Amino acid sequence: MSLFGDGLEAAVQKAFTRPAPKSAGAQMRYLVKQLKGTKAVAQMLRISQRTVERYVKDQIKKPRPDLAARLEREVKKRWQPQIRARARQKAATTGGIVIDTRARMGYTAPIGSTDQDRIRHLTVALPPQYAARLFDAQEAGASDAQLQQIAAEALKEVYFQDGGRRAGSLEEVRFTDIEHLEFEL
């Protein structure tokens, strides 16, 4: 489970204009239509082609919990791609992204400053360039640690340095022990 990747994905999913299919049969029919065949869906979900056909015909209605989770994840990954792209584009160019987090934060600064790590609860609007960096890194397959580093740099500039108006000698922000993380477009 990727905390940052899943958080960004959940933020984009809030932009959906219609709900994704809920029943197993509807989800399976959607995937068959998207992947153009039952064989491709069966390989992706690691089940038999005949099982996929049974779900499509509503002969099986209740999937195992692990299959239900895979099915839902794959449907949401493909649901409304144009809406998803538009939401990402808007956040990356004009809207920015809001990060709501409760985590241990501290920083490296010159001697004499109070740089002790402590738990902070922050809700900060990040400018569009950081939203673009987060989404670009996520699409490039960046790890959670890399996404966390980008978020730490954004918090350094926006929260700690207030866009360059204070704490100019701040070197590095530590963003660890994340208890809560949520993104909003």
Side-chain angles (χ1 to χ4, degrees):
M1 185 177 103
S2 167
L3 187 64
F4 281 83
D6 291 348
L8 289 170
E9 200 57 42
V12 170
Q13 288 175 7
K14 290 177 187 173
F16 287 167
T17 56
R18 292 178 305 157
K22 296 278 187 235
S23 73
Q27 289 175 333
M28 202 65 78
R29 284 188 288 277
Y30 176 76
L31 286 176
V32 168
K33 187 175 178 183
Q34 290 294 307
L35 298 177
K36 297 174 178 39
T38 56
K39 187 174 186 178
V41 174
Q43 289 174 343
M44 179 185 63
L45 295 173
R46 299 184 308 272
I47 56 176
S48 72
Q49 186 174 353
R50 181 69 186 125
T51 303
V52 172
E53 293 166 359
R54 287 185 182 131
Y55 277 110
V56 168
K57 294 179 182 177
D58 279 330
Q59 293 174 342
I60 306 174
K61 295 183 186 267
K62 185 98 171 104
R64 302 181 315 268
D66 61 322
L67 176 59
R70 284 197 311 264
L71 190 57
E72 185 175 354
R73 185 177 62 248
E74 293 299 330
V75 167
K76 284 192 173 178
K77 190 189 299 183
R78 290 167 175 75
W79 188 249
Q80 294 190 326
Q82 292 173 335
I83 302 282
R84 179 188 308 270
R86 201 174 311 131
R88 286 177 180 233
Q89 183 65 30
K90 182 180 176 199
T93 55
T94 57
I97 193 166
V98 175
I99 182 172
D100 179 40
T101 185
R102 179 170 165 77
R104 181 170 300 281
M105 287 183 230
Y107 49 87
T108 307
I111 296 172
S113 62
T114 57
D115 61 350
Q116 185 66 36
D117 289 6
R118 66 176 188 260
I119 297 286
R120 300 172 196 246
H121 182 217
L122 302 177
T123 303
V124 179
L126 302 179
Q129 69 262 25
Y130 285 109
R133 282 184 62 196
L134 283 166
F135 286 131
D136 290 346
Q138 182 189 25
E139 283 184 30
S143 69
D144 225 31
Q146 292 167 318
L147 293 172
Q148 185 174 347
Q149 182 61 36
I150 293 170
E153 290 172 21
L155 289 172
K156 172 186 169 187
E157 184 192 320
V158 175
Y159 178 74
F160 289 105
Q161 292 182 325
D162 195 18
R165 288 189 280 277
R166 61 186 165 138
S169 59
L170 204 64
E171 296 165 13
E172 177 192 15
V173 170
R174 290 183 298 280
F175 183 34
T176 58
D177 300 340
I178 300 168
E179 295 176 7
H180 167 78
L181 179 73
E182 192 174 318
F183 293 98
E184 184 115 3
L185 302 180

